[in-house]
Amino acid sequence: MASPASSAPGGVAVVGSGLIGRSWAMLFASAGFKVKLYDMEQRQVTYALDSIRKEMKLLEHSGSLKGSLGAKEQLSLISSCSDIREAVEGALHVQECVPEDLELKKQLFAQLDGIVGDQVVLSSSSSCLLPSRLFSGLVHVKQCLVAHPVNPPYYVPLVELVPHPETAPATVDRTYALMQKIGQSPVRLTKEVDGFALNRLQYAVIGEAWRLVEEGVVSPGDLDLVMSDGLGMRYAFTGPLETMHLNAEGMLSYCDRYSEGMKRVLKTFGPIPEFSGATAEKVHQAMCVKVPDDPERLAARREWRDRCLMRLARLKSQLQPQ
Ligand code: NAI
């Protein structure tokens, strides 16, 4: 589809217009970037543009639209594209958002590798595929990295930047600056590691949550409260390391006071759970009491969660550290 943005240099191409592609398109447009949204399914792009239009209007109405441009101006920056060459032409950044399938992504990056020049950054939204598996052997490997967002990216700003061993430092620097420019909160991993940082932390928490429920120490509902009404309240503002620093007279004082206790407790952690069988049934039942697992109730709860995150994002922007 022709559009005023289709031949603009310095724009962004978003490849894959599902949940994450739509969010990236909105974020880039919020900072004034021209975005070309490409999908192998033309119907999917049409649907994506329609849902972006609706969401931007709602966000504008509730005062939550990001950036200084209005919804109409932001929308005019996003155009759909049914040809991948046309989508990446003139782009300085390509954000890949196709499903989490190694072979599919490898094929796509090989195709992009044959099309792009030396100036563009090729960035994957992959949640857990390692850059060495995605980009090895590409001519433009120096220009490739993973930029892993967190769902929903419009309200949760973290983006993990994970380089391939051959990624040029300038590629990471440029992407870091771009993420900041669109209001996201980038973090750099200096090398790839399975699960990146976010999922390693998340899985450590899930593992211990599961063990505590499996051993009957705490009910599934109470376990969730430990996080949502306890640790999570702090962690929305200060991470685990700063929490240590603040909970004593600085980090060294915390280590002095609590390291023996931490090591004693950590030694009692059990093996990796199976996440199946009777415990899975028990946790499932408990979750269904709170949120029945029919599609409508799950969707309604996700909407509620996203509204909470939107309010939290606003609160965080008002409460800058002193
Ligand atoms: P999705 O399934 O909602 O969207 C994928 C889109 O890619 C679809 O519109 C599909 O038509 C399109 N597509 C498939 N093959 C294509 C191709 N060869 N060329 C162009 N388009 C193609 O997937 P979703 O959830 O948006 O995930 C995208 C990526 O983002 C995945 O790698 C996922 O792991 C990652 N991610 C997802 C998160 C989530 O919570 N959904 C969070 C963080 C990252």
Side-chain angles (χ1 to χ4, degrees), residues 87-109:
V88 303
E89 189 194 336
L92 277 181
H93 183 94
V94 176
Q95 188 67 40
E96 167 275 310
C97 312
V98 304
E100 191 79 345
D101 173 321
L102 179 62
E103 287 314 310
L104 175 70
K105 286 192 195 271
K106 275 174 73 171
Q107 257 177 29
L108 180 65
F109 279 106

PDB file of all heavy atoms in Angstrom, residues 87-109:
ATOM      1  N   ALA A  87       9.586  -2.501   2.520  1.00  0.00           N
ATOM      2  CA  ALA A  87       9.479  -2.195   3.956  1.00  0.00           C
ATOM      3  C   ALA A  87      10.821  -1.753   4.529  1.00  0.00           C
ATOM      4  O   ALA A  87      10.893  -0.824   5.331  1.00  0.00           O
ATOM      5  CB  ALA A  87       8.966  -3.424   4.705  1.00  0.00           C
ATOM      6  N   VAL A  88      11.909  -2.416   4.123  1.00  0.00           N
ATOM      7  CA  VAL A  88      13.198  -2.119   4.759  1.00  0.00           C
ATOM      8  C   VAL A  88      13.991  -1.039   4.003  1.00  0.00           C
ATOM      9  O   VAL A  88      15.000  -0.551   4.515  1.00  0.00           O
ATOM     10  CB  VAL A  88      14.079  -3.384   4.942  1.00  0.00           C
ATOM     11  CG1 VAL A  88      13.343  -4.434   5.753  1.00  0.00           C
ATOM     12  CG2 VAL A  88      14.520  -3.965   3.619  1.00  0.00           C
ATOM     13  N   GLU A  89      13.484  -0.665   2.836  1.00  0.00           N
ATOM     14  CA  GLU A  89      14.201   0.331   2.031  1.00  0.00           C
ATOM     15  C   GLU A  89      14.301   1.661   2.799  1.00  0.00           C
ATOM     16  O   GLU A  89      13.305   2.212   3.252  1.00  0.00           O
ATOM     17  CB  GLU A  89      13.445   0.554   0.711  1.00  0.00           C
ATOM     18  CG  GLU A  89      14.203   1.391  -0.288  1.00  0.00           C
ATOM     19  CD  GLU A  89      13.279   1.854  -1.421  1.00  0.00           C
ATOM     20  OE1 GLU A  89      12.261   1.194  -1.666  1.00  0.00           O
ATOM     21  OE2 GLU A  89      13.608   2.892  -2.004  1.00  0.00           O
ATOM     22  N   GLY A  90      15.519   2.131   2.968  1.00  0.00           N
ATOM     23  CA  GLY A  90      15.721   3.415   3.641  1.00  0.00           C
ATOM     24  C   GLY A  90      15.622   3.346   5.158  1.00  0.00           C
ATOM     25  O   GLY A  90      15.827   4.348   5.844  1.00  0.00           O
ATOM     26  N   ALA A  91      15.297   2.170   5.723  1.00  0.00           N
ATOM     27  CA  ALA A  91      15.143   2.075   7.182  1.00  0.00           C
ATOM     28  C   ALA A  91      16.509   2.054   7.858  1.00  0.00           C
ATOM     29  O   ALA A  91      17.468   1.480   7.332  1.00  0.00           O
ATOM     30  CB  ALA A  91      14.377   0.811   7.543  1.00  0.00           C
ATOM     31  N   LEU A  92      16.592   2.672   9.013  1.00  0.00           N
ATOM     32  CA  LEU A  92      17.828   2.597   9.793  1.00  0.00           C
ATOM     33  C   LEU A  92      17.749   1.512  10.859  1.00  0.00           C
ATOM     34  O   LEU A  92      18.745   1.107  11.444  1.00  0.00           O
ATOM     35  CB  LEU A  92      18.110   3.941  10.460  1.00  0.00           C
ATOM     36  CG  LEU A  92      18.799   4.960   9.553  1.00  0.00           C
ATOM     37  CD1 LEU A  92      19.060   6.249  10.298  1.00  0.00           C
ATOM     38  CD2 LEU A  92      20.116   4.398   8.999  1.00  0.00           C
ATOM     39  N   HIS A  93      16.525   1.055  11.118  1.00  0.00           N
ATOM     40  CA  HIS A  93      16.335   0.031  12.134  1.00  0.00           C
ATOM     41  C   HIS A  93      15.215  -0.901  11.677  1.00  0.00           C
ATOM     42  O   HIS A  93      14.142  -0.440  11.298  1.00  0.00           O
ATOM     43  CB  HIS A  93      15.955   0.698  13.469  1.00  0.00           C
ATOM     44  CG  HIS A  93      15.806  -0.265  14.594  1.00  0.00           C
ATOM     45  ND1 HIS A  93      16.828  -0.567  15.483  1.00  0.00           N
ATOM     46  CD2 HIS A  93      14.750  -1.014  14.990  1.00  0.00           C
ATOM     47  CE1 HIS A  93      16.400  -1.442  16.371  1.00  0.00           C
ATOM     48  NE2 HIS A  93      15.146  -1.732  16.098  1.00  0.00           N
ATOM     49  N   VAL A  94      15.496  -2.203  11.715  1.00  0.00           N
ATOM     50  CA  VAL A  94      14.462  -3.191  11.391  1.00  0.00           C
ATOM     51  C   VAL A  94      14.182  -3.994  12.656  1.00  0.00           C
ATOM     52  O   VAL A  94      15.101  -4.572  13.246  1.00  0.00           O
ATOM     53  CB  VAL A  94      14.925  -4.152  10.263  1.00  0.00           C
ATOM     54  CG1 VAL A  94      13.872  -5.228  10.018  1.00  0.00           C
ATOM     55  CG2 VAL A  94      15.210  -3.388   8.973  1.00  0.00           C
ATOM     56  N   GLN A  95      12.924  -3.992  13.099  1.00  0.00           N
ATOM     57  CA  GLN A  95      12.561  -4.745  14.300  1.00  0.00           C
ATOM     58  C   GLN A  95      11.737  -5.946  13.882  1.00  0.00           C
ATOM     59  O   GLN A  95      10.608  -5.821  13.413  1.00  0.00           O
ATOM     60  CB  GLN A  95      11.768  -3.838  15.268  1.00  0.00           C
ATOM     61  CG  GLN A  95      11.510  -4.468  16.619  1.00  0.00           C
ATOM     62  CD  GLN A  95      12.789  -4.665  17.443  1.00  0.00           C
ATOM     63  OE1 GLN A  95      13.674  -3.814  17.451  1.00  0.00           O
ATOM     64  NE2 GLN A  95      12.887  -5.784  18.132  1.00  0.00           N
ATOM     65  N   GLU A  96      12.338  -7.123  14.046  1.00  0.00           N
ATOM     66  CA  GLU A  96      11.666  -8.368  13.643  1.00  0.00           C
ATOM     67  C   GLU A  96      10.741  -8.835  14.761  1.00  0.00           C
ATOM     68  O   GLU A  96      11.150  -8.902  15.931  1.00  0.00           O
ATOM     69  CB  GLU A  96      12.743  -9.421  13.321  1.00  0.00           C
ATOM     70  CG  GLU A  96      12.249 -10.845  13.174  1.00  0.00           C
ATOM     71  CD  GLU A  96      12.135 -11.567  14.503  1.00  0.00           C
ATOM     72  OE1 GLU A  96      13.105 -11.556  15.289  1.00  0.00           O
ATOM     73  OE2 GLU A  96      11.057 -12.134  14.760  1.00  0.00           O
ATOM     74  N   CYS A  97       9.501  -9.181  14.412  1.00  0.00           N
ATOM     75  CA  CYS A  97       8.492  -9.603  15.406  1.00  0.00           C
ATOM     76  C   CYS A  97       7.676 -10.772  14.890  1.00  0.00           C
ATOM     77  O   CYS A  97       6.443 -10.784  15.024  1.00  0.00           O
ATOM     78  CB  CYS A  97       7.533  -8.456  15.725  1.00  0.00           C
ATOM     79  SG  CYS A  97       8.295  -6.887  16.069  1.00  0.00           S
ATOM     80  N   VAL A  98       8.318 -11.744  14.246  1.00  0.00           N
ATOM     81  CA  VAL A  98       7.575 -12.918  13.765  1.00  0.00           C
ATOM     82  C   VAL A  98       7.565 -13.961  14.884  1.00  0.00           C
ATOM     83  O   VAL A  98       8.277 -13.812  15.886  1.00  0.00           O
ATOM     84  CB  VAL A  98       8.174 -13.471  12.435  1.00  0.00           C
ATOM     85  CG1 VAL A  98       8.211 -12.378  11.373  1.00  0.00           C
ATOM     86  CG2 VAL A  98       9.545 -14.077  12.625  1.00  0.00           C
ATOM     87  N   PRO A  99       6.741 -15.012  14.770  1.00  0.00           N
ATOM     88  CA  PRO A  99       6.619 -15.967  15.879  1.00  0.00           C
ATOM     89  C   PRO A  99       7.964 -16.578  16.312  1.00  0.00           C
ATOM     90  O   PRO A  99       8.921 -16.637  15.535  1.00  0.00           O
ATOM     91  CB  PRO A  99       5.679 -17.034  15.318  1.00  0.00           C
ATOM     92  CG  PRO A  99       4.863 -16.311  14.288  1.00  0.00           C
ATOM     93  CD  PRO A  99       5.809 -15.320  13.670  1.00  0.00           C
ATOM     94  N   GLU A 100       7.971 -17.022  17.567  1.00  0.00           N
ATOM     95  CA  GLU A 100       9.199 -17.542  18.186  1.00  0.00           C
ATOM     96  C   GLU A 100       9.542 -18.930  17.639  1.00  0.00           C
ATOM     97  O   GLU A 100       9.316 -19.949  18.281  1.00  0.00           O
ATOM     98  CB  GLU A 100       8.985 -17.586  19.713  1.00  0.00           C
ATOM     99  CG  GLU A 100      10.230 -17.845  20.519  1.00  0.00           C
ATOM    100  CD  GLU A 100      11.109 -16.613  20.679  1.00  0.00           C
ATOM    101  OE1 GLU A 100      10.934 -15.624  19.957  1.00  0.00           O
ATOM    102  OE2 GLU A 100      11.987 -16.667  21.547  1.00  0.00           O
ATOM    103  N   ASP A 101      10.072 -18.973  16.429  1.00  0.00           N
ATOM    104  CA  ASP A 101      10.396 -20.228  15.759  1.00  0.00           C
ATOM    105  C   ASP A 101      11.768 -20.021  15.113  1.00  0.00           C
ATOM    106  O   ASP A 101      11.922 -19.172  14.225  1.00  0.00           O
ATOM    107  CB  ASP A 101       9.296 -20.498  14.718  1.00  0.00           C
ATOM    108  CG  ASP A 101       9.584 -21.695  13.828  1.00  0.00           C
ATOM    109  OD1 ASP A 101      10.759 -21.879  13.433  1.00  0.00           O
ATOM    110  OD2 ASP A 101       8.646 -22.442  13.507  1.00  0.00           O
ATOM    111  N   LEU A 102      12.747 -20.782  15.587  1.00  0.00           N
ATOM    112  CA  LEU A 102      14.135 -20.544  15.159  1.00  0.00           C
ATOM    113  C   LEU A 102      14.285 -20.587  13.641  1.00  0.00           C
ATOM    114  O   LEU A 102      14.891 -19.691  13.046  1.00  0.00           O
ATOM    115  CB  LEU A 102      15.072 -21.556  15.829  1.00  0.00           C
ATOM    116  CG  LEU A 102      16.546 -21.418  15.443  1.00  0.00           C
ATOM    117  CD1 LEU A 102      17.122 -20.083  15.849  1.00  0.00           C
ATOM    118  CD2 LEU A 102      17.380 -22.565  16.028  1.00  0.00           C
ATOM    119  N   GLU A 103      13.728 -21.633  13.008  1.00  0.00           N
ATOM    120  CA  GLU A 103      13.915 -21.770  11.557  1.00  0.00           C
ATOM    121  C   GLU A 103      13.268 -20.620  10.798  1.00  0.00           C
ATOM    122  O   GLU A 103      13.847 -20.081   9.859  1.00  0.00           O
ATOM    123  CB  GLU A 103      13.367 -23.124  11.069  1.00  0.00           C
ATOM    124  CG  GLU A 103      14.236 -24.304  11.461  1.00  0.00           C
ATOM    125  CD  GLU A 103      15.742 -24.070  11.201  1.00  0.00           C
ATOM    126  OE1 GLU A 103      16.084 -23.650  10.072  1.00  0.00           O
ATOM    127  OE2 GLU A 103      16.563 -24.286  12.109  1.00  0.00           O
ATOM    128  N   LEU A 104      12.083 -20.225  11.250  1.00  0.00           N
ATOM    129  CA  LEU A 104      11.376 -19.110  10.601  1.00  0.00           C
ATOM    130  C   LEU A 104      12.187 -17.821  10.714  1.00  0.00           C
ATOM    131  O   LEU A 104      12.388 -17.093   9.744  1.00  0.00           O
ATOM    132  CB  LEU A 104      10.000 -18.940  11.283  1.00  0.00           C
ATOM    133  CG  LEU A 104       9.159 -17.763  10.829  1.00  0.00           C
ATOM    134  CD1 LEU A 104       8.657 -17.974   9.415  1.00  0.00           C
ATOM    135  CD2 LEU A 104       7.967 -17.568  11.774  1.00  0.00           C
ATOM    136  N   LYS A 105      12.703 -17.574  11.917  1.00  0.00           N
ATOM    137  CA  LYS A 105      13.465 -16.335  12.117  1.00  0.00           C
ATOM    138  C   LYS A 105      14.786 -16.392  11.338  1.00  0.00           C
ATOM    139  O   LYS A 105      15.210 -15.397  10.754  1.00  0.00           O
ATOM    140  CB  LYS A 105      13.722 -16.110  13.618  1.00  0.00           C
ATOM    141  CG  LYS A 105      12.471 -15.645  14.386  1.00  0.00           C
ATOM    142  CD  LYS A 105      12.832 -15.164  15.779  1.00  0.00           C
ATOM    143  CE  LYS A 105      11.642 -15.038  16.703  1.00  0.00           C
ATOM    144  NZ  LYS A 105      10.965 -13.728  16.665  1.00  0.00           N
ATOM    145  N   LYS A 106      15.443 -17.566  11.319  1.00  0.00           N
ATOM    146  CA  LYS A 106      16.713 -17.676  10.581  1.00  0.00           C
ATOM    147  C   LYS A 106      16.491 -17.386   9.094  1.00  0.00           C
ATOM    148  O   LYS A 106      17.262 -16.683   8.465  1.00  0.00           O
ATOM    149  CB  LYS A 106      17.313 -19.071  10.769  1.00  0.00           C
ATOM    150  CG  LYS A 106      18.140 -19.169  12.048  1.00  0.00           C
ATOM    151  CD  LYS A 106      18.609 -20.558  12.300  1.00  0.00           C
ATOM    152  CE  LYS A 106      19.717 -20.992  11.363  1.00  0.00           C
ATOM    153  NZ  LYS A 106      20.294 -22.272  11.774  1.00  0.00           N
ATOM    154  N   GLN A 107      15.401 -17.959   8.580  1.00  0.00           N
ATOM    155  CA  GLN A 107      15.068 -17.725   7.158  1.00  0.00           C
ATOM    156  C   GLN A 107      14.846 -16.247   6.895  1.00  0.00           C
ATOM    157  O   GLN A 107      15.328 -15.695   5.902  1.00  0.00           O
ATOM    158  CB  GLN A 107      13.763 -18.439   6.834  1.00  0.00           C
ATOM    159  CG  GLN A 107      13.941 -19.728   6.079  1.00  0.00           C
ATOM    160  CD  GLN A 107      12.581 -20.399   5.882  1.00  0.00           C
ATOM    161  OE1 GLN A 107      11.544 -19.754   5.807  1.00  0.00           O
ATOM    162  NE2 GLN A 107      12.606 -21.713   5.825  1.00  0.00           N
ATOM    163  N   LEU A 108      14.131 -15.609   7.796  1.00  0.00           N
ATOM    164  CA  LEU A 108      13.822 -14.187   7.609  1.00  0.00           C
ATOM    165  C   LEU A 108      15.098 -13.344   7.675  1.00  0.00           C
ATOM    166  O   LEU A 108      15.313 -12.463   6.835  1.00  0.00           O
ATOM    167  CB  LEU A 108      12.825 -13.739   8.692  1.00  0.00           C
ATOM    168  CG  LEU A 108      12.412 -12.288   8.619  1.00  0.00           C
ATOM    169  CD1 LEU A 108      11.630 -11.988   7.348  1.00  0.00           C
ATOM    170  CD2 LEU A 108      11.565 -11.919   9.835  1.00  0.00           C
ATOM    171  N   PHE A 109      15.975 -13.638   8.650  1.00  0.00           N
ATOM    172  CA  PHE A 109      17.209 -12.847   8.750  1.00  0.00           C
ATOM    173  C   PHE A 109      18.127 -13.104   7.555  1.00  0.00           C
ATOM    174  O   PHE A 109      18.820 -12.194   7.097  1.00  0.00           O
ATOM    175  CB  PHE A 109      17.917 -13.078  10.089  1.00  0.00           C
ATOM    176  CG  PHE A 109      17.295 -12.266  11.190  1.00  0.00           C
ATOM    177  CD1 PHE A 109      16.511 -12.851  12.158  1.00  0.00           C
ATOM    178  CD2 PHE A 109      17.458 -10.882  11.226  1.00  0.00           C
ATOM    179  CE1 PHE A 109      15.906 -12.083  13.151  1.00  0.00           C
ATOM    180  CE2 PHE A 109      16.856 -10.105  12.203  1.00  0.00           C
ATOM    181  CZ  PHE A 109      16.082 -10.708  13.165  1.00  0.00           C
TER     182      PHE A 109
END
